[in-house]
Structure formats: C-alpha cells, structure tokens
Amino acid sequence: MRKKQNYITSLFKGISSILALGYLAMAHPTFANSPRHQVPDSSSVKMLLTPSINNQINSRLVGQWELRGVFFMPITIIFTPEGRGFMLSPSFAPGADPYAIEFRYTINNAQQPFQVDLEILGEDSDSIKTIFDFTDDGRIRVELLGIQPGEERPTEFTTGALFLNRVSSLTRLPNNTQIANSPETINEGRENQANYTISMLLGYQEDYFQDNKKFTLNLRDLDMELTPRELRYYDYVTYLPESATEPLIITVTAKVPGLRSFIGAMFPIKNGEVETFNSVVCSTIEPSMTPPPRPTLINETVVCDSNSRQF
C-alpha cells in the first residue's frame, strides 16, 4: 500500500538484514505481545553433515557467538545442534524481555569452504546460500554482506565476509525470550496490516466522497495500490452502497488458514444538509476464511455483529 513499508521484508536482504530485524524487533508494535519461545519440532530439520566429521563440526559450531563491529552493540548469535539458530537483538531497556529472530541452517561439508543455507522463519523469500569456514584463531568466517535470497552461492570469500567470535558452548536462550518471527507473531503482523489497509481504504473513500459525491471501485482514484504481498494473504473487495442510506462495505478475506478475516462498514449520517460518516472495522473472533457478518447502525453508532469483534 502507498507509503506503507513492510518492516520485516523490506530490511531482510541478506543476513546483514538479520541485524536490522533484531533492532526492529525492539520497536515494531506487533512484537510487543509475541508469545514466549517454544522449542519447535526437530523432525523437519535436516543436516547434510557427513557422520565422520559431524561431531567435529558440531563441537566447533554449536554454541553462543558474537558479531562485533557491524552494529553499535555486539550481536549474539546462537547455533543449536538441531540446525536451529537465533539472533538476539541488543537490549536497550533494563529489565525488558529479550527478543530473538529464529532461523534454520543446513550445512554441506562436502565442499571447501563449507556451504550453508540460511532460512528465516516466516519469510516468503528463498533461503540464503553462502559459505563459511573456521579461522585458525577459532572464529567463524562467513560470507554475508550483499548476499540476496535466491542468488547463486558464492565460491570464495570477499571483503564482505563477517567474523563471529565464540563466547561459550551454551545454547539455551535467556529467560523470557520472545521470538519475534514466530508463526503467531507473523500472523498477528499480517492481521494488523490488513486492519491498517481496510481502515485507510475507508478513510480515503470518505475523502473521495466529500470531493466527488460518490464512492469509487478504482484504487487509482484513491491514490492507492495493494502490493502483491498484501494480496498474497487477503482478498480485498469493495461493495458500493445500493442507496443513499446504505453503507459502503469492504471485505478483507483471508486466503490462507490461521488468519482472521475482516469487514469494514461506513454508514452515512445526515445532520440537516451536512452528511458525515461513521465507520467500523470488525474481525472474526477466530481465524477464518470467511469475513464477518455486516455491522449495523444503532443510534448513529456502527456496531459489529455478535459473532465478530471490533478490531
């Protein structure tokens, strides 16, 4: 949508953007109520390590590492033996719960340098394919800067390589760590985006009506557009009023399971010669691929149906 940035996606370009994601996890409003960390099922994680050196690589890789000199504070990165990784965001407020971005990693040790694929949970883009090795002083050297999802894997190191310094062999996350890209949090962000979009559509429709004395089905008339990413998860449909007393209706229907659907209604209110509008956005109570029933106007207040709630 116009001038609306998708904070997670727009900054996730290469693993260097994981660092930015950690910073955004502290500020993004949808992260504030994200669920506590739960250890996911390891059955879906596949490692390509050969048995002969599996233990050797695990003993060197698994644990807590720090990336220094890129951000203004050291970035903690944790590798677990099951192929999971966590990037902890810097802590800016004493006593605040820590946040982490979860990713999966898959290693192919048959090549030199070692090959690694990195996948950020909740992202729609391809995995990042890159290379890494261990330096003589025990650090990890990994080619990261400028690497984009879906690109071919580099074959040699450049000045874009980053170095991780080993801190400990611990893999347990800090107490009360919140996973900023958990499925629940990702869905919450998509729902918040849908609510934002339908609210903006209602507002722009009201502005358009005041100037033109009619509504429109053409988003260009509203100087708006819906991005492919927004349309990937929701269908947006506008229904024009059938009479001067009927509301403008906008439905936002989830296209994938796990998301709530929405309906927006804007009713005309006549005060003599002055016409104003009252509107509301309602969501299904539970995830649904069917929008809620139409709201009603009661004493000039728009009320959601009992089977939905005001979002």
Side-chain angles (χ1 to χ4, degrees):
M1 197 180 65
R2 183 186 63 174
K3 298 181 181 179
K4 179 64 177 177
Q5 298 294 325
N6 186 310
Y7 297 114
I8 295 180
T9 305
S10 64
L11 290 178
F12 174 49
K13 295 296 183 184
I15 287 298
S16 59
S17 295
I18 298 179
L19 310 181
L21 278 167
Y23 174 79
L24 290 170
M26 299 297 297
H28 196 291
T30 64
F31 294 158
N33 297 315
S34 57
R36 305 301 188 200
H37 170 65
Q38 295 181 350
V39 178
D41 181 8
S42 62
S43 61
S44 61
V45 180
K46 297 180 179 179
M47 299 293 287
L48 300 179
L49 298 169
T50 56
S52 60
I53 63 170
N54 180 31
N55 291 335
Q56 178 185 356
I57 290 184
N58 268 355
S59 64
R60 300 184 70 182
L61 179 67
V62 170
Q64 178 183 359
W65 299 78
E66 277 189 350
L67 176 61
R68 304 166 185 166
V70 175
F71 204 43
F72 66 88
M73 295 178 64
I75 302 298
T76 296
I77 298 177
I78 296 173
F79 295 99
T80 74
E82 300 86 9
R84 305 183 188 95
F86 300 92
M87 196 285 298
L88 273 70
S89 64
S91 178
F92 299 98
D97 288 345
Y99 288 87
I101 300 293
E102 184 175 357
F103 61 94
R104 301 291 171 88
Y105 67 92
T106 305
I107 293 173
N108 178 3
N109 65 279
Q111 303 291 328
Q112 289 291 334
F114 297 136
Q115 297 179 348
V116 60
D117 294 351
L118 302 165
E119 177 188 359
I120 305 299
L121 296 189
E123 285 294 328
D124 300 322
S125 54
D126 296 329
S127 62
I128 293 174
K129 297 178 172 59
T130 190
I131 55 176
F132 82 100
D133 65 5
F134 296 99
T135 64
D136 292 339
D137 59 359
R139 294 183 297 170
I140 294 175
R141 177 174 61 167
V142 57
E143 186 71 19
L144 289 178
L145 296 182
I147 306 297
Q148 304 293 332
E151 290 185 347
E152 291 188 6
R153 189 188 314 276
T155 58
E156 59 184 4
F157 293 105
T158 70
T159 54
L162 298 178
F163 292 84
L164 306 182
N165 297 272
R166 188 170 184 85
V167 176
S168 74
S169 61
L170 298 176
T171 60
R172 179 181 174 86
L173 292 174
N175 292 334
N176 297 319
T177 296
Q178 299 189 44
I179 305 303
N181 59 335
S182 68
E184 295 84 358
T185 304
I186 293 296
N187 281 344
E188 181 184 349
R190 290 168 181 163
E191 292 173 351
N192 287 340
Q193 178 64 53
N195 174 61
Y196 176 90
T197 301
I198 193 172
S199 298
M200 294 297 291
L201 285 168
L202 290 170
Y204 286 152
Q205 286 282 8
E206 181 176 357
D207 292 342
Y208 184 84
F209 186 91
Q210 299 296 350
D211 294 336
N212 300 277
K213 303 306 176 187
K214 64 178 181 179
F215 296 110
T216 180
L217 294 176
N218 191 342
L219 289 183
R220 291 183 179 179
D221 293 338
L222 305 178
D223 193 22
M224 289 185 62
E225 63 178 345
L226 298 176
T227 66
R229 187 180 182 88
E230 289 172 315
L231 295 173
R232 175 169 187 162
Y233 301 107
Y234 283 99
D235 278 327
Y236 293 79
V237 180
T238 298
Y239 299 91
L240 299 180
E242 296 181 357
S243 70
T245 59
E246 289 293 300
L248 174 81
I249 298 293
I250 301 175
T251 59
V252 182
T253 306
K255 298 169 68 173
V256 296
L259 295 174
R260 294 177 175 87
S261 292
F262 299 83
I263 188 169
M266 185 164 59
F267 284 81
I269 306 295
K270 276 282 191 178
N271 292 315
E273 296 299 321
V274 179
E275 185 173 37
T276 59
F277 293 91
N278 286 351
S279 62
V280 73
V281 176
C282 309
S283 75
T284 55
I285 297 175
E286 300 294 335
S288 174
M289 299 176 71
T290 302
R294 171 178 147 173
T296 55
L297 183 66
I298 302 176
N299 297 326
E300 298 189 354
T301 300
V302 187
V303 180
C304 295
D305 183 86
S306 59
N307 293 317
S308 63
R309 64 180 179 89
Q310 185 170 345
F311 197 82

